[in-house]
Amino acid sequence: MIENTDILFNIEKEVSLDFEQIRPAKEQILQAIHYHDDCRDDVVCDTIKQLLRQAGEKADIRIGYKLYPVLKAERQTKSIILEQTVLETKPIIFAQLHKADYLLIFAATAGAQISRWADEYVQQGDPFTAYLADAIASETVERAADWLEVRIGQQMAKKGLNITNRYSPGYCGWDVSEQQKLFSLLPENCCGIRLTDSSLMLPIKSVSGVIGVGKTVRKTAYKCAVCDKEDCYLRRRP
Amino acid sequence: MEELLKRLAVCIERGKVDKDARHPPDMQGQDGASELTRQALDAGVSSTELLEKSLMVGMRRIGDRFAAGKAFIPDLLIAAKAMNAAMVHLKPYFTSGEAQHKGTVILGTVTGDLHDIGKNLVKMVLEGEGWQVVDLGTNAGPDRFLAALQENPHALIGLSALLTTTMLNMETIVQQVKKNSPDTPVFVGGAPLSADFSGKIGADGYFPEPQSFARHIDDKYGRVRS
Ligand code: B12
């Protein structure tokens, strides 16, 4: 555990981002939907370009986060223990977080309107455009979480600390219902996100997770590299 | 005529909606699904023959490529767009009863879950394969499935979920359906599911994508139920 925790201790924030700060590139959308990227004139690229022009008006991007000191990383149960909460992260994510001195708990949303964007097209009987609008909305919140990762990385680097990748409940064996614990650690009504009993965040285009902070933690090249579970359904994620 | 039906199948597979459509780039200016369907009907091809020998052939080809990982969801959706353009001309024949669907599938995303992109895709593929779909939308609980089943007693049921927490709600739905109507087959799908899970909750099968599902119900139930 590091000394002089109080400077860090008070990191609790909610920020709004402009779409332009995180605007996903057309190529990133194509990659997310597994579509070949040599489609200069095709409808898929055209439609994505058009939709990206409108996405800014639809998005209302908010990120909330709070930093907690890690009291203990418990090997037997593969749990990370914070003040009042025990996060049962399970082996794969535990292995990445157990050296962390702090955990940054976060939630981010692309907003209610962009979350309903695809429905407009479904109602018009255009599932094709609906699918692409949905993909852009998803990518928007992922880029917002990327933005947070970069920013926290820079802030912590100034204090001589490293960060891990971000990890979310529902991935790598960490039960999705553990989101209930994350939200109890975030300010009331954080970013306007509501969590249902089934651990679904509303608005839909939202993500939650943690980032480990510490002297000896590190980022891995890509998430699936930390795991060798070949038959994992999560590997299907782009 | 054979030639026309072949061309129409290609239009469906590649998503050539109509003559004005700019997609795919190498077919610009040519007749599309809309024009060719009209021409075939005007030439006296029956709606059933058109559907089975051409439209479904095209849908099946793109579906197979999708299932094999050689085509992607947008390709499937563009093909569906072309299919819809063709169906506009076929609609009158369906409502007049000349053409019949294979049966009915009640489809819904289960209680607590609001993801519907996947379920909508399943719907499209089933419709493209000649099934009638009753879409219960999202957050559908046992009551809604039972009510829909009352109206369509011979229907099959398909459940979708995208989270490990909401997929647990499938079990209640399966139980309720089986209690009220033991012979109704219930199938499940969605990213976190597996055949194993399907077996555990007493469902009749899991399918990772709509094509294998359509193939299965075609073989087992197509045209038998209505
Ligand atoms: C895009 C995405 C997001 C987006 C948008 C989500 C949305 N639905 O709008 C964002 C980034 C917001 C997101 C957030 C989260 N996500 Co997410 N997400 C995905 C991703 C990558 C793709 C989902 C998708 O749109 N797929 C495309 C559609 C077409 O596929 P599909 O729905 O699976 O349907 C196909 C088949 O399954 C099948 N099918 C579907 N239903 C049926 C029904 C029948 C009867 C049949 C036969 C077939 C069938 O046919 C369809 C076509 O092939 C999946 C991973 C994946 N590979 O699926 C994770 C995934 C769904 N997410 C997951 C998780 C955990 C989350 C979060 C909880 C993470 C977090 N803590 O922040 C949040 C929750 C968000 C919320 N609102 O509560 C997990 C869920 C697993 C779990 N443990 O519960 C998944 C599976 C990723 C993973 N870990 O592997 N997510």
Side-chain angles (χ1 to χ4, degrees):
Chain A
M1 224 66 10
I2 22 181
E3 304 292 313
N4 192 13
T5 53
D6 26 309
I7 331 162
L8 284 171
F9 210 82
N10 278 325
I11 295 191
E12 174 184 336
K13 257 208 166 116
E14 189 171 321
V15 289
S16 288
L17 299 185
D18 192 77
F19 184 71
E20 293 311 319
Q21 286 176 272
I22 52 117
R23 168 185 278 277
K26 186 189 78 197
E27 290 69 24
Q28 287 172 315
I29 309 295
L30 290 171
Q31 206 186 356
I33 60 172
H34 300 269
Y35 200 74
H36 53 87
D37 59 4
D38 55 348
C39 58
R40 263 159 289 138
D41 314 313
D42 91 358
V43 265
V44 178
C45 285
D46 281 355
T47 312
I48 292 176
K49 274 191 241 162
Q50 260 172 31
L51 289 170
L52 277 173
R53 271 182 235 126
Q54 303 161 37
E57 288 161 35
K58 306 271 176 190
D60 175 13
I61 305 157
R62 288 157 76 181
I63 309 176
Y65 53 90
K66 189 166 175 176
L67 195 76
Y68 284 89
V70 172
L71 299 188
K72 194 178 168 202
E74 202 173 71
R75 251 168 220 293
Q76 297 92 323
T77 57
K78 306 290 181 209
S79 298
I80 307 286
I81 302 176
L82 310 179
E83 247 175 301
Q84 309 116 335
T85 311
V86 179
L87 297 175
E88 296 164 52
T89 54
K90 300 284 158 70
I92 301 165
I93 293 178
F94 180 83
Q96 302 308 306
L97 294 177
H98 75 279
K99 289 183 182 157
D101 301 307
Y102 300 90
L103 274 198
L104 186 95
I105 314 287
F106 75 89
T109 184
Q113 206 191 349
I114 202 168
S115 293
R116 285 193 302 264
W117 194 16
D119 294 347
E120 294 173 22
Y121 294 103
V122 171
Q123 268 144 31
Q124 290 165 29
D126 183 359
F128 171 72
T129 309
Y131 177 72
L132 297 177
D134 185 87
I136 290 174
S138 297
E139 203 55 25
T140 300
V141 67
E142 290 285 8
R143 295 282 77 79
D146 285 351
W147 178 93
L148 177 71
E149 228 179 281
V150 171
R151 182 187 155 103
I152 295 299
Q154 288 164 348
Q155 274 183 11
M156 294 303 150
K158 282 187 203 145
K159 303 182 199 298
L161 297 172
N162 299 317
I163 66 164
T164 66
N165 301 60
R166 61 175 188 271
Y167 296 98
S168 297
Y171 279 84
C172 305
W174 189 8
D175 204 296
V176 66
S177 64
E178 290 257 315
Q179 276 195 113
Q180 306 287 351
K181 294 180 185 171
L182 296 194
F183 277 82
S184 74
L185 292 165
L186 289 167
E188 188 91 4
N189 194 27
C190 180
C191 303
I193 299 171
R194 185 169 80 79
L195 195 60
T196 67
D197 294 341
S198 55
S199 297
L200 188 75
M201 286 177 278
L202 301 174
I204 285 276
K205 301 301 175 188
S206 301
V207 295
S208 69
V210 304
I211 298 174
V213 176
K215 278 236 161 71
T216 55
V217 299
R218 63 184 178 90
K219 265 183 182 286
T220 48
Y222 58 94
K223 284 182 189 173
C224 283
V226 304
C227 169
D228 54 8
K229 210 169 158 225
E230 274 303 329
D231 60 347
C232 176
Y233 68 88
L234 311 189
R235 279 194 189 271
R236 277 191 262 153
R237 196 197 183 288
Chain B
M1 195 47 57
E2 287 291 299
E3 186 51 37
L4 184 69
L5 294 184
K6 261 190 205 153
R7 271 172 63 205
L8 179 53
V10 172
C11 285
I12 299 295
E13 181 185 359
R14 301 209 48 213
K16 174 72 176 164
V17 177
D18 55 22
K19 195 164 186 169
D20 292 342
R22 297 207 296 119
H23 183 86
D26 61 307
M27 290 175 86
Q28 270 178 33
Q30 300 174 19
D31 281 344
S34 180
E35 290 83 5
L36 295 179
T37 304
R38 191 68 261 160
Q39 288 164 26
L41 286 170
D42 290 347
V45 181
S46 80
S47 54
T48 320
E49 193 182 354
L50 198 61
L51 201 64
E52 286 178 3
K53 294 216 172 122
S54 185
L55 302 180
M56 281 187 196
V57 173
M59 258 336 252
R60 193 157 293 172
R61 262 192 241 137
I62 186 69
D64 287 345
R65 280 175 49 212
F66 172 72
K70 292 194 180 114
F72 306 98
I73 293 175
D75 300 310
L76 208 58
L77 292 165
I78 303 169
K81 222 175 186 172
M83 183 80 178
N84 285 341
M87 290 308 270
V88 170
H89 302 283
L90 287 180
K91 267 264 159 64
Y93 298 87
F94 278 103
T95 36
S96 71
E98 189 192 305
Q100 291 223 314
H101 50 73
K102 295 176 182 167
T104 303
V105 181
I106 301 168
L107 211 58
T109 301
V110 302
T111 330
D113 207 323
L114 296 174
H115 299 95
D116 61 359
I117 292 277
K119 181 220 35 151
N120 292 346
L121 237 98
V122 178
K123 177 181 172 182
M124 252 174 36
V125 171
L126 291 181
E127 286 180 343
E129 290 278 344
W131 289 81
Q132 174 180 295
V133 174
V134 176
D135 185 356
L136 299 185
T138 58
N139 195 17
D143 297 350
R144 300 221 339 250
F145 281 96
L146 290 178
L149 197 55
Q150 219 154 36
E151 276 174 35
N152 307 276
H154 299 296
L156 320 174
I157 291 184
L159 308 177
S160 181
L162 224 66
L163 289 179
T164 42
T165 47
T166 55
M167 75 188 207
L168 301 177
N169 297 334
M170 287 179 159
E171 185 165 13
T172 326
I173 299 174
V174 174
Q175 277 170 357
Q176 292 288 324
V177 169
K178 296 286 180 190
K179 200 170 108 194
N180 286 272
S181 172
D183 294 335
T184 300
V186 185
F187 299 98
V188 297
L193 276 88
S194 63
D196 198 36
F197 177 76
S198 161
K200 262 188 214 143
I201 63 167
D204 297 275
Y206 156 80
F207 294 92
E209 26 70 32
Q211 282 73 27
S212 51
F213 179 48
R215 212 50 65 81
H216 178 79
I217 60 173
D218 267 357
D219 290 349
K220 248 184 130 173
Y221 312 100
R223 291 190 189 286
V224 181
R225 300 172 165 239
S226 67

